[in-house]
Amino acid sequence: MPTVLRKYGFRFHFYTADGHEPPHIHVDGSGGEAKVWLMDGRLAKVKGFNQREIARILEVVEENRKQMLEAWHDYFG
């Protein structure tokens, strides 16, 4: 499971079997997990994060979306 970024105690990564889905990033940390679609920055799912953590996660994804998309396309082709 390639890790793309670590920031604010969150790990942003994808799973090697994710290539059949549209580009997205998984987020783990603080006892929670989330999945964010990279094309529009919307949450696909979230569990265990509070609203403040969700806002921070979405901010980090927005700030690093280009890097995350490049990592996705480099890995999955």
Side-chain angles (χ1 to χ4, degrees):
M1 97 180 69
T3 297
V4 178
L5 178 70
R6 290 180 187 271
K7 192 166 186 175
Y8 304 124
F10 301 118
R11 182 171 59 100
F12 297 81
H13 63 93
F14 50 84
Y15 295 102
T16 56
D18 283 350
H20 67 283
E21 292 187 58
H24 61 276
I25 199 83
H26 292 270
V27 186
D28 296 326
S30 302
E33 57 185 65
K35 177 179 175 180
V36 181
W37 299 115
L38 290 175
M39 298 310 288
D40 60 11
R42 294 176 57 158
L43 280 173
K45 69 176 183 175
V46 64
K47 177 182 172 188
F49 289 125
N50 63 41
Q51 290 299 318
R52 186 175 179 185
E53 291 167 322
I54 293 168
R56 176 148 286 179
I57 287 166
L58 293 176
E59 177 184 302
V60 171
V61 170
E62 183 61 33
E63 290 173 352
N64 296 279
R65 187 182 312 201
K66 182 180 178 191
Q67 173 191 351
M68 292 174 179
L69 279 168
E70 286 175 0
W72 178 277
H73 292 298
D74 285 348
Y75 192 83
F76 293 111

